[in-house]
Amino acid sequence: MKGNALVVHGGAPTAVLNASLYGVIRQARECGEIGCIYGALGGSAGVLKERFTKLGTAKEEWLEQLLTTPASVIGTSRYCLETEDYDRMAEVIGRNRIRFVFINGGNGSMDACGKLHEACRRKGVEAAVVGIPKTMDNDIAVTDHAPGYGSAARYIAAGTAELCCDVAGLPIHVAVLETMGRDAGWVAAASSLAGDSGIPGPDLIYVPERAFEEERFLADVEGLIRRKGCGVVVASEGLRDASGDPIAEPVMTSGRSVYFGNVAEYLAGLIIRRLGYKARSEKPGILGRACIALQSDTDRREAVEAGREAVRAAVSGKTGVMVGFLRQDLPEYETQTILIPIKDVMLTEKRLPEEFINEEGNGVTQAFQEWCRPLLGGPVPRFASFCTQEDS
């Protein structure tokens, strides 16, 4: 007898979250062991309210559009779940004859995946619970990287290149660009690939893996101004000082959710007040996490495969696992999917390793760039630069 399947989205959207949903639906249709494919409307809260929509009968045109539709077509949430909520979710799953549950999200969602897996066992509900990774800031443990990051990295690399062009064209200030990344600097680090455009930059990059030192920052910027007269600085929203306090006071903190203060604005203000030099701040914010115009082909392809692999794992009897990616040691970029015990990734954040941060703590290494470049799905646009013009 066929069992039903349920897809749940959690946390912040990405440019390829719907691509993973596409992979789930396609594989579920093809495997022959799944009856109705439900989508929870509005994440985990939708499960508790039994707000489901049927996805298995979707038209082909709609399915194909999922590949290039940003955010989440079924909705997501940051609903804070309590122990009793997981038991209620397990009861809902059993009542709707759901045998396969796919939770697609980041660190918090993988924690929920593990707890729902245990709740189903506790309540005697026979359902395979499998996690599909999704995060634009790449901080899920064990897997080499997560779907969502490659597109965010491409966006910030291309955007930084354009900003570097602007500052080089009108060299009268330092521009400070703030990236997302609460505790990990993967997105900020990706800005270093702006140099692949042929335009030098960015000049300085600051990530939360290193304690922020205000005087050292000012010295770095002062040296930049002396050397070039202008420049571009990239800073992660999660920068903290040696005491672990955010350098810009958060607007609000609620559980794991932190509404950060404007770090770029704070740093630009420091430059103006302390160095007496023009500075301005830029903050793309959520525009960079779900941009389809700069979606990475590699990211989209791997997101689909993550969805497909989750279904293959579930129908083969696997549960309490998350799909991950293992990079192959080959001349050309290649990965294979792996299944990771969910307990190994529950609320465990992966931060930039030391070998990816330069000795001065104001940039990244070539090792990071070589690791990150294939995830962008192709080179960023090339721009003409007077600095690289060849003599005729």
Side-chain angles (χ1 to χ4, degrees):
M1 181 178 175
K2 293 182 179 181
N4 297 327
L6 174 65
V7 185
V8 186
H9 286 173
T14 73
V16 296
L17 181 54
N18 290 321
S20 286
L21 180 61
Y22 173 93
V24 170
I25 296 171
R26 284 292 187 203
Q27 191 65 32
R29 281 181 169 183
E30 295 167 12
C31 74
E33 297 185 41
I34 295 177
C36 190
I37 309 166
Y38 294 116
L41 294 174
S44 55
V47 180
L48 291 169
K49 297 175 182 177
E50 294 188 57
R51 295 185 64 238
F52 299 156
T53 185
K54 292 183 179 180
L55 300 170
T57 57
K59 294 180 179 179
E60 283 296 309
E61 181 183 7
W62 185 86
L63 273 180
E64 291 302 319
Q65 287 173 346
L66 287 179
L67 295 170
T68 52
T69 297
S72 167
V73 295
I74 58 175
T76 180
S77 72
R78 293 191 187 276
Y79 186 79
C80 186
L81 294 164
E82 305 294 339
T83 301
E84 57 269 23
D85 291 325
Y86 291 106
D87 289 339
R88 286 172 54 206
M89 288 171 72
E91 291 168 1
V92 169
I93 288 165
R95 187 161 55 248
N96 287 276
R97 293 185 298 173
I98 294 168
R99 287 178 48 206
F100 311 103
V101 182
F102 305 105
I103 298 183
N104 196 176
N107 284 309
S109 297
M110 291 308 104
D111 182 63
C113 183
K115 289 176 178 175
L116 181 58
H117 164 66
E118 291 301 325
C120 286
R121 284 187 169 183
R122 191 164 56 244
K123 303 295 286 187
V125 176
E126 293 185 6
V129 183
V130 177
I132 304 172
K134 173 276 318 171
T135 176
M136 59 84 67
D137 49 14
N138 201 46
D139 60 353
I140 298 179
V142 186
T143 182
D144 178 77
H145 58 280
Y149 173 68
S151 295
R154 182 174 180 81
Y155 178 94
I156 207 66
T160 303
E162 291 177 343
L163 182 60
C164 290
C165 280
D166 189 286
V167 172
L170 184 62
I172 62 171
H173 52 229
V174 172
V176 184
L177 176 66
E178 178 179 335
T179 69
M180 299 184 83
R182 180 179 57 235
D183 296 309
W186 297 96
V187 177
S191 69
S192 65
L193 292 175
D196 288 358
S197 69
I199 302 296
D203 301 286
L204 300 166
I205 303 171
Y206 298 91
V207 295
E209 283 81 358
R210 292 284 181 89
F212 182 80
E213 300 176 37
E214 190 170 294
E215 295 304 319
R216 188 166 185 174
F217 166 76
L218 290 169
D220 288 345
V221 174
E222 191 169 33
L224 171 63
I225 294 169
R226 283 200 307 267
R227 187 172 69 255
K228 292 179 59 178
C230 64
V232 173
V233 175
V234 175
S236 170
E237 66 179 355
L239 292 184
R240 299 175 184 271
D241 61 23
S243 300
D245 296 322
I247 64 168
E249 185 177 354
V251 176
M252 184 181 75
T253 301
S254 177
R256 291 182 65 250
S257 297
V258 180
Y259 293 81
F260 287 96
N262 196 319
V263 168
E265 186 177 280
Y266 174 80
L267 294 178
L270 275 181
I271 295 168
I272 295 168
R273 292 193 307 273
R274 297 284 304 278
L275 301 180
Y277 191 79
K278 292 181 180 179
R280 62 181 299 149
S281 61
E282 302 291 340
K283 185 176 180 177
I286 62 174
L287 290 173
R289 74 184 182 199
C291 175
I292 289 298
L294 287 167
Q295 184 191 60
S296 160
D297 293 344
T298 299
D299 198 23
R300 181 179 62 247
R301 182 179 68 251
E302 292 182 341
V304 172
E305 182 57 26
R308 283 187 173 275
E309 181 61 21
V311 175
R312 288 192 286 261
V315 298
S316 69
K318 302 293 193 303
T319 184
V321 295
M322 182 194 82
V323 176
F325 291 93
L326 179 65
R327 190 177 298 222
Q328 303 299 288
D329 187 15
L330 297 169
E332 297 296 322
Y333 173 77
E334 187 176 318
T335 61
Q336 71 176 58
T337 54
I338 56 175
L339 296 178
I340 302 166
I342 197 65
K343 60 181 176 60
D344 293 347
V345 296
M346 294 169 67
L347 285 179
T348 301
E349 292 184 315
K350 179 179 71 174
R351 310 185 80 196
L352 277 170
E354 281 298 306
E355 61 266 28
F356 283 176
I357 307 171
N358 71 3
E359 188 175 346
E360 296 79 12
N362 60 12
V364 300
T365 62
Q366 184 177 344
F368 167 79
Q369 293 182 325
E370 291 173 354
W371 174 88
C372 185
R373 190 171 280 114
L375 305 182
L376 270 59
V380 296
R382 293 283 300 181
F383 300 136
S385 170
F386 185 80
C387 298
T388 58
Q389 182 186 26
E390 294 182 358
D391 293 333
S392 56

